[in-house]
């Protein structure tokens, strides 16, 4: 199999980073990088990526919600399709690589195929999703939910902070809210979905490795908890007569941390807290807070949740406050395809690097794509494991390895897994 010299991976990586810089300049806010679904900034990234897809000889289209989709056709018609992709929207005050890197590494591999005039026994389809982070409508994976035909119709009534509905936003972005229910593909048309993404964690850096192979995406439960006690005067109510909702919540938060520390691989976070009435001289009467619990094994996560629910009730009872527990979302863990993982391992090994398997702590478009086809992911080392921040940083050499690993993976799939 004829590979170009390793320096050409570096050249391709340099172009990927230049393009990340360019896309990173498109923002709806002047002083920070923010691209919500349907904004002018999203229009600008789609235009730029569309131009690069066209230059690679593909015919890009925008689907019903505005995902940018382009195909590199197979050697023969009616062949199956391998989907590559990631997202082009961002969180608020984002970095340049979460999302765009995956789209542009995949594009680099397609450009290399096109430059060689090499057609494969399957089509390669690049999907640049228009909403993964869910910043505008507070729901994740809008883009890939439309691609897979899984967006519930009631989602169209969601509104953003300005009162604009998703239905209106889709129309304004040139999409068609009445055509959302149609999946881009049937399951039997697809070979799988492979996504490249920055790691968003410290394991690759700690192991001094440029890329990793994702074993799966851990399950995640989000709960909204309210503790209600009795507000009162901070000077006149003696300690023995208080029902302080914040003190109860604080005790519970320490218990959450302890439970996670004592359970291997469990992570649990209280990240949001609203104190009522929230004055320095008033005993807190009510506290609303979030609980986020994740683990690769669903049974361990479910057991931990049951324990944490019993714990909050015990603390509330002892302190004479009431508690409400509302499940917000409950996402089971996902395993990446063992067959695709084997090809990824062979690809990384052939590129000259040890293989590290990593469980993804964050959700990705692959979560939704798994409802339609087999999924696979490569992680790329990012500096300090930092993401969702302008401090996101990746190294040129690591991006070159990511391009090589993805290319070798695609070619291994094309040759039926034969590494020779
Ligand atoms: Zn992402």
């Amino acid at each position: 199999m004829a590979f170009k010299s390793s320096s050409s991976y570096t050249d391709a990586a340099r172009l990927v980073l230049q393009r990340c810089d360019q896309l990173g300049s498109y923002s709806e806010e002047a002083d920070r990088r923010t691209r919500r679904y349907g904004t002018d900034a999203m229009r600008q990234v789609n235009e730029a990526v569309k131009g690069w897809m066209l230059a690679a000889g593909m015919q890009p289209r925008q689907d019903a919600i505005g995902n940018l989709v382009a195909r590199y056709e197979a050697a023969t018609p009616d062949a199956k399709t391998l989907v590559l992709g990631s997202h082009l929207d961002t969180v608020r005050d984002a970095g340049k690589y979460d999302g765009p890197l995956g789209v542009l590494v995949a594009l680099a591999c397609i450009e290399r195929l096109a430059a060689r005039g090499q057609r494969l026994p399957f089509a390669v389809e690049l999907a640049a999703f228009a909403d993964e982070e869910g910043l505008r409508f507070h729901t994740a994976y809008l883009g890939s939910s439309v691609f897979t035909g899984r967006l519930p119709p009631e989602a169209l009534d969601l509104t953003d902070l300005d009162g604009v509905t998703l239905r209106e936003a889709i129309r304004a972005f040139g999409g068609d809210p009445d055509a959302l229910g149609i999946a881009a593909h049937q399951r039997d048309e697809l070979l799988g979905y492979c996504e490249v993404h920055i790691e968003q964690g410290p394991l690759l850096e700690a192991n001094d490795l440029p890329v990793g192979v994702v074993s799966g995406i851990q399950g995640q439960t989000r709960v909204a908890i309210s503790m209600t006690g009795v507000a009162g005067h901070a000077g006149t109510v003696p300690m023995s007569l208080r029902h302080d909702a914040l003190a109860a919540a604080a005790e519970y938060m320490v218990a959450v941390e302890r439970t996670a520390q004592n359970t291997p691989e469990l992570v649990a976070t209280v990240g949001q807290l609203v104190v009522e009435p929230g004055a320095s001289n008033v005993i807190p009467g009510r506290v609303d807070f979030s609980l986020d619990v994740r683990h690769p094994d669903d049974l361990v996560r479910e057991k931990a949740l049951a324990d944490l629910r019993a714990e909050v009730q015990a603390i509330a009872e002892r302190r004479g406050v009431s508690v409400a527990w509302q499940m917000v979302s409950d996402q089971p863990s996902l395993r990446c395809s063992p067959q695709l993982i084997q090809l990824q391992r062979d690809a990384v090994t052939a590129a000259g690097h040890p293989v590290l398997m990593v469980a993804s702590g964050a959700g990705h478009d692959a979560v939704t794509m798994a409802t339609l086809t087999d999924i696979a992911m490569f992680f790329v080392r990012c500096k300090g494991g930092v993401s969702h921040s302008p401090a996101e940083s990746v190294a040129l050499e690591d991006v070159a390895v990511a391009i090589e690993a993805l290319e070798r993976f695609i070619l291994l799939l094309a040759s039926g897994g034969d590494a020779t």
Side-chain angles (χ1 to χ4, degrees):
M1 201 168 282
F3 284 107
K4 292 195 171 180
S5 71
S6 62
S7 70
S8 66
Y9 291 119
T10 305
D11 290 343
R14 197 168 286 119
L15 183 59
V16 164
L17 291 183
Q18 280 169 12
R19 287 170 169 176
C20 285
D21 286 342
Q22 182 182 335
L23 298 188
S25 71
Y26 302 133
S27 173
E28 59 185 276
E29 297 182 293
D31 55 343
R32 53 186 179 178
R33 184 175 301 108
T34 304
R35 288 196 303 270
R36 291 174 306 156
Y37 170 72
T39 57
D40 282 343
M42 280 304 298
R43 241 181 268 277
Q44 287 174 304
V45 286
N46 270 12
E47 276 311 304
V49 175
K50 203 182 288 178
W52 299 328
M53 288 168 159
L54 280 167
M58 295 187 283
Q59 299 300 320
R61 65 183 177 87
Q62 265 188 225
D63 73 5
I65 196 167
N67 297 319
L68 198 52
V69 183
R71 285 171 68 78
Y72 183 73
E73 294 296 346
T76 54
D78 303 325
K80 290 198 174 192
T81 297
L82 170 71
V83 183
L84 307 177
S86 196
H87 59 96
L88 293 177
D89 68 317
T90 71
V91 293
R92 176 157 286 128
D93 200 14
K96 290 185 283 195
Y97 306 106
D98 178 345
L101 182 73
V103 173
L104 297 173
V105 164
L107 177 62
C109 289
I110 293 170
E111 286 173 333
R112 289 169 59 84
L113 288 172
R116 294 196 293 263
Q118 186 177 4
R119 293 288 164 181
L120 305 174
F122 49 82
V124 181
E125 188 164 294
L126 177 53
F129 296 115
D131 178 289
E132 190 268 351
E133 304 285 6
L135 186 59
R136 183 165 176 188
F137 291 98
H138 303 289
T139 173
Y141 317 130
L142 282 182
S144 47
S145 297
V146 169
F147 190 86
T148 54
R150 306 249 162 195
L151 188 77
E154 59 270 22
L156 290 172
D157 297 323
L158 292 170
T159 54
D160 69 6
L161 287 178
D162 298 320
V164 178
T165 64
L166 177 57
R167 182 182 287 104
E168 291 162 342
I170 289 171
R171 281 214 183 91
F173 199 49
D176 180 0
D178 299 321
L180 295 179
I182 307 154
H185 295 282
Q186 300 300 311
R187 181 176 289 275
D188 60 5
E189 297 169 5
L190 296 179
L191 287 173
Y193 170 74
C194 185
E195 178 168 356
V196 174
H197 203 282
I198 57 169
E199 184 197 358
Q200 304 181 272
L203 288 178
L204 290 171
E205 203 170 62
N207 287 277
D208 196 21
L209 291 173
V211 299
V213 176
V214 177
S215 55
I217 298 172
Q218 63 184 352
Q220 176 186 0
T221 303
R222 287 190 204 182
V223 188
I225 302 173
S226 300
M227 297 187 94
T228 306
V230 183
H233 196 291
T236 60
V237 182
M239 297 309 288
S240 60
L241 296 180
R242 293 188 181 196
H243 303 282
D244 183 328
L246 181 58
E251 183 182 344
Y252 180 58
M253 278 174 238
V254 175
V256 167
E257 185 185 46
R258 192 171 49 237
T259 299
Q261 282 167 341
N262 292 338
T263 313
E265 294 187 80
L266 187 76
V267 286
T269 307
V270 174
Q272 220 175 19
L273 184 91
V274 179
V275 181
E276 297 286 346
S280 63
N281 60 351
V282 182
I283 300 161
R286 176 179 166 132
V287 178
D288 297 308
F289 58 100
S290 62
L291 174 64
D292 178 313
V293 180
R294 308 186 196 203
H295 195 278
D297 183 332
D298 290 338
L299 291 178
V300 176
R301 179 174 45 88
E302 283 158 19
K303 161 91 170 61
L305 275 164
D307 291 348
L308 289 171
R309 187 167 188 174
E311 180 87 47
V312 77
Q313 272 154 353
I315 291 170
E317 238 162 74
R318 189 156 21 83
R319 287 175 166 273
V321 304
S322 65
V323 61
W325 171 284
Q326 193 199 351
M327 187 82 87
V328 176
S329 68
D330 193 38
Q331 190 91 50
S333 63
L334 279 173
R335 286 163 59 90
C336 292
S337 154
Q339 290 79 16
L340 297 181
I341 283 176
Q342 189 55 53
L343 297 181
Q344 290 177 284
R345 297 180 67 104
D346 292 347
V348 172
T349 303
H353 299 279
V355 175
L356 182 72
M357 299 300 299
V358 186
S360 176
H364 295 285
D365 288 305
V367 169
T368 318
M369 291 299 291
T371 63
L372 184 64
T373 189
D374 288 349
I375 58 163
M377 289 190 76
F378 284 105
F379 276 167
V380 182
R381 168 168 52 187
C382 57
K383 197 174 173 190
V386 170
S387 69
H388 287 189
S389 155
E392 269 174 21
S393 176
V394 292
L396 174 72
E397 303 76 41
D398 294 357
V399 175
V401 174
I403 295 168
E404 179 173 1
L406 182 61
E407 179 177 272
R408 287 183 182 273
F409 165 78
I410 294 167
L411 296 177
L412 281 168
L413 189 63
S415 64
D418 183 357
T420 53

